[in-house]
Amino acid sequence: MGALPIDDMSNTFVEHSFIINNFVVMIGKQIEDSLCRVLGDGVQYQWRENDNKIVIPDVSINCNTRDRKNVSLTGIPRMIMEVLSNATEAYDRGEKMEIYRKVGVSEYWIADWRRKQVEIYLNDGKEDGTTCFYLYQTVRKENKEDLQLVMFPNLKTDFDELFYLS
């Protein structure tokens, strides 16, 4: 499957935007005095390791926003979150996840507003020198206090705030 056409996003629900905005607001205030930025949907990245094809994550935390190529960022985010929708789930779990692994994103969240859960994946090195994402934790209502950014342990996250949909 190639890059997702922009008009394919017409099948996404407003809940998709709520989750993105909730995360940006929750984290943004906490890191405003640092070099890092939390960036919402619409920020594009271009990486050599991905043949300079443009990728647009739903959310990223990037501590290297000075590195740019035209309107795209080229620095590698430490954390990316994709919010699932019926239209994008296969792409987010497949091709996009593989791109993020390849370029070296350390932490990848897959947020599912339909199931009210977050899968937290960490990128780890293997003995042969390659890397792989492994499922570090799935956070649901039952273990909601476990929702935490692994790469940013000092930042406070709140499950109910993330999934606040009204």
Side-chain angles (χ1 to χ4, degrees), residues 40 42-46 54-57 69-74:
V43 175
Q44 53 186 49
Y45 286 91
Q46 257 181 299
I54 289 176
V55 180
I56 303 174
K69 178 177 186 172
N70 301 319
V71 297
S72 299
L73 295 178
T74 57

PDB file of all heavy atoms in Angstrom, residues 40 42-46 54-57 69-74:
ATOM      1  N   GLY A  40       0.959  18.728  16.393  1.00  0.00           N
ATOM      2  CA  GLY A  40      -0.255  18.029  16.008  1.00  0.00           C
ATOM      3  C   GLY A  40      -0.292  17.713  14.529  1.00  0.00           C
ATOM      4  O   GLY A  40       0.652  17.958  13.781  1.00  0.00           O
ATOM      5  N   GLY A  42      -0.760  17.506  10.661  1.00  0.00           N
ATOM      6  CA  GLY A  42      -0.485  18.483   9.621  1.00  0.00           C
ATOM      7  C   GLY A  42       0.990  18.814   9.479  1.00  0.00           C
ATOM      8  O   GLY A  42       1.405  19.340   8.467  1.00  0.00           O
ATOM      9  N   VAL A  43       1.799  18.496  10.500  1.00  0.00           N
ATOM     10  CA  VAL A  43       3.240  18.738  10.408  1.00  0.00           C
ATOM     11  C   VAL A  43       3.858  17.588   9.612  1.00  0.00           C
ATOM     12  O   VAL A  43       3.663  16.420   9.931  1.00  0.00           O
ATOM     13  CB  VAL A  43       3.876  18.846  11.809  1.00  0.00           C
ATOM     14  CG1 VAL A  43       5.386  18.965  11.695  1.00  0.00           C
ATOM     15  CG2 VAL A  43       3.290  20.027  12.557  1.00  0.00           C
ATOM     16  N   GLN A  44       4.577  17.944   8.571  1.00  0.00           N
ATOM     17  CA  GLN A  44       5.135  16.887   7.729  1.00  0.00           C
ATOM     18  C   GLN A  44       6.628  16.694   7.962  1.00  0.00           C
ATOM     19  O   GLN A  44       7.346  17.621   8.297  1.00  0.00           O
ATOM     20  CB  GLN A  44       4.826  17.138   6.255  1.00  0.00           C
ATOM     21  CG  GLN A  44       5.212  18.488   5.714  1.00  0.00           C
ATOM     22  CD  GLN A  44       4.727  18.686   4.289  1.00  0.00           C
ATOM     23  OE1 GLN A  44       3.563  18.446   3.971  1.00  0.00           O
ATOM     24  NE2 GLN A  44       5.620  19.129   3.433  1.00  0.00           N
ATOM     25  N   TYR A  45       7.020  15.437   7.783  1.00  0.00           N
ATOM     26  CA  TYR A  45       8.410  15.033   7.935  1.00  0.00           C
ATOM     27  C   TYR A  45       8.909  14.440   6.629  1.00  0.00           C
ATOM     28  O   TYR A  45       8.161  13.809   5.896  1.00  0.00           O
ATOM     29  CB  TYR A  45       8.535  13.967   9.024  1.00  0.00           C
ATOM     30  CG  TYR A  45       8.378  14.499  10.431  1.00  0.00           C
ATOM     31  CD1 TYR A  45       7.132  14.538  11.057  1.00  0.00           C
ATOM     32  CD2 TYR A  45       9.481  14.957  11.148  1.00  0.00           C
ATOM     33  CE1 TYR A  45       6.995  15.023  12.353  1.00  0.00           C
ATOM     34  CE2 TYR A  45       9.349  15.445  12.441  1.00  0.00           C
ATOM     35  CZ  TYR A  45       8.102  15.466  13.042  1.00  0.00           C
ATOM     36  OH  TYR A  45       7.967  15.941  14.322  1.00  0.00           O
ATOM     37  N   GLN A  46      10.207  14.666   6.392  1.00  0.00           N
ATOM     38  CA  GLN A  46      10.895  14.050   5.260  1.00  0.00           C
ATOM     39  C   GLN A  46      12.212  13.500   5.776  1.00  0.00           C
ATOM     40  O   GLN A  46      12.996  14.239   6.373  1.00  0.00           O
ATOM     41  CB  GLN A  46      11.191  15.104   4.191  1.00  0.00           C
ATOM     42  CG  GLN A  46      10.285  15.090   3.007  1.00  0.00           C
ATOM     43  CD  GLN A  46      10.701  16.161   2.009  1.00  0.00           C
ATOM     44  OE1 GLN A  46      10.697  17.349   2.314  1.00  0.00           O
ATOM     45  NE2 GLN A  46      11.054  15.743   0.819  1.00  0.00           N
ATOM     46  N   ILE A  54       7.166  12.200   1.986  1.00  0.00           N
ATOM     47  CA  ILE A  54       6.560  12.943   3.090  1.00  0.00           C
ATOM     48  C   ILE A  54       5.671  12.033   3.929  1.00  0.00           C
ATOM     49  O   ILE A  54       4.901  11.242   3.395  1.00  0.00           O
ATOM     50  CB  ILE A  54       5.779  14.151   2.540  1.00  0.00           C
ATOM     51  CG1 ILE A  54       6.792  15.179   2.035  1.00  0.00           C
ATOM     52  CG2 ILE A  54       4.864  14.747   3.597  1.00  0.00           C
ATOM     53  CD1 ILE A  54       6.215  16.377   1.377  1.00  0.00           C
ATOM     54  N   VAL A  55       5.820  12.151   5.252  1.00  0.00           N
ATOM     55  CA  VAL A  55       4.993  11.421   6.208  1.00  0.00           C
ATOM     56  C   VAL A  55       4.399  12.457   7.160  1.00  0.00           C
ATOM     57  O   VAL A  55       5.090  13.372   7.608  1.00  0.00           O
ATOM     58  CB  VAL A  55       5.835  10.401   7.012  1.00  0.00           C
ATOM     59  CG1 VAL A  55       4.975   9.651   8.008  1.00  0.00           C
ATOM     60  CG2 VAL A  55       6.531   9.428   6.085  1.00  0.00           C
ATOM     61  N   ILE A  56       3.111  12.291   7.488  1.00  0.00           N
ATOM     62  CA  ILE A  56       2.435  13.226   8.393  1.00  0.00           C
ATOM     63  C   ILE A  56       1.854  12.440   9.568  1.00  0.00           C
ATOM     64  O   ILE A  56       0.793  11.832   9.446  1.00  0.00           O
ATOM     65  CB  ILE A  56       1.321  14.004   7.660  1.00  0.00           C
ATOM     66  CG1 ILE A  56       1.901  14.743   6.445  1.00  0.00           C
ATOM     67  CG2 ILE A  56       0.640  14.982   8.618  1.00  0.00           C
ATOM     68  CD1 ILE A  56       0.868  15.422   5.573  1.00  0.00           C
ATOM     69  N   PRO A  57       2.570  12.433  10.706  1.00  0.00           N
ATOM     70  CA  PRO A  57       2.018  11.749  11.886  1.00  0.00           C
ATOM     71  C   PRO A  57       0.883  12.554  12.504  1.00  0.00           C
ATOM     72  O   PRO A  57       0.800  13.764  12.310  1.00  0.00           O
ATOM     73  CB  PRO A  57       3.205  11.666  12.846  1.00  0.00           C
ATOM     74  CG  PRO A  57       4.304  12.473  12.273  1.00  0.00           C
ATOM     75  CD  PRO A  57       3.891  13.000  10.934  1.00  0.00           C
ATOM     76  N   LYS A  69      13.716  20.749   5.739  1.00  0.00           N
ATOM     77  CA  LYS A  69      13.917  20.739   4.294  1.00  0.00           C
ATOM     78  C   LYS A  69      12.658  21.364   3.721  1.00  0.00           C
ATOM     79  O   LYS A  69      11.592  20.756   3.773  1.00  0.00           O
ATOM     80  CB  LYS A  69      14.094  19.305   3.798  1.00  0.00           C
ATOM     81  CG  LYS A  69      14.261  19.192   2.316  1.00  0.00           C
ATOM     82  CD  LYS A  69      14.493  17.747   1.922  1.00  0.00           C
ATOM     83  CE  LYS A  69      14.818  17.678   0.440  1.00  0.00           C
ATOM     84  NZ  LYS A  69      15.237  16.343   0.062  1.00  0.00           N
ATOM     85  N   ASN A  70      12.765  22.586   3.252  1.00  0.00           N
ATOM     86  CA  ASN A  70      11.600  23.361   2.810  1.00  0.00           C
ATOM     87  C   ASN A  70      10.594  23.452   3.956  1.00  0.00           C
ATOM     88  O   ASN A  70      10.923  23.943   5.007  1.00  0.00           O
ATOM     89  CB  ASN A  70      10.999  22.760   1.538  1.00  0.00           C
ATOM     90  CG  ASN A  70      12.017  22.715   0.419  1.00  0.00           C
ATOM     91  OD1 ASN A  70      12.785  23.648   0.230  1.00  0.00           O
ATOM     92  ND2 ASN A  70      12.042  21.620  -0.322  1.00  0.00           N
ATOM     93  N   VAL A  71       9.375  22.938   3.769  1.00  0.00           N
ATOM     94  CA  VAL A  71       8.357  23.028   4.820  1.00  0.00           C
ATOM     95  C   VAL A  71       8.305  21.769   5.690  1.00  0.00           C
ATOM     96  O   VAL A  71       7.461  21.666   6.576  1.00  0.00           O
ATOM     97  CB  VAL A  71       6.949  23.303   4.231  1.00  0.00           C
ATOM     98  CG1 VAL A  71       6.936  24.643   3.528  1.00  0.00           C
ATOM     99  CG2 VAL A  71       6.527  22.185   3.296  1.00  0.00           C
ATOM    100  N   SER A  72       9.188  20.824   5.440  1.00  0.00           N
ATOM    101  CA  SER A  72       9.179  19.569   6.195  1.00  0.00           C
ATOM    102  C   SER A  72      10.269  19.563   7.259  1.00  0.00           C
ATOM    103  O   SER A  72      11.362  20.091   7.049  1.00  0.00           O
ATOM    104  CB  SER A  72       9.428  18.373   5.271  1.00  0.00           C
ATOM    105  OG  SER A  72       8.424  18.281   4.297  1.00  0.00           O
ATOM    106  N   LEU A  73       9.962  18.932   8.379  1.00  0.00           N
ATOM    107  CA  LEU A  73      10.981  18.689   9.397  1.00  0.00           C
ATOM    108  C   LEU A  73      11.773  17.450   9.010  1.00  0.00           C
ATOM    109  O   LEU A  73      11.222  16.501   8.447  1.00  0.00           O
ATOM    110  CB  LEU A  73      10.335  18.473  10.763  1.00  0.00           C
ATOM    111  CG  LEU A  73       9.584  19.671  11.351  1.00  0.00           C
ATOM    112  CD1 LEU A  73       8.951  19.297  12.688  1.00  0.00           C
ATOM    113  CD2 LEU A  73      10.501  20.860  11.533  1.00  0.00           C
ATOM    114  N   THR A  74      13.074  17.461   9.319  1.00  0.00           N
ATOM    115  CA  THR A  74      13.908  16.296   9.004  1.00  0.00           C
ATOM    116  C   THR A  74      14.472  15.642  10.266  1.00  0.00           C
ATOM    117  O   THR A  74      15.029  14.560  10.203  1.00  0.00           O
ATOM    118  CB  THR A  74      15.071  16.685   8.059  1.00  0.00           C
ATOM    119  OG1 THR A  74      15.836  17.729   8.679  1.00  0.00           O
ATOM    120  CG2 THR A  74      14.544  17.156   6.711  1.00  0.00           C
TER     121      THR A  74
END
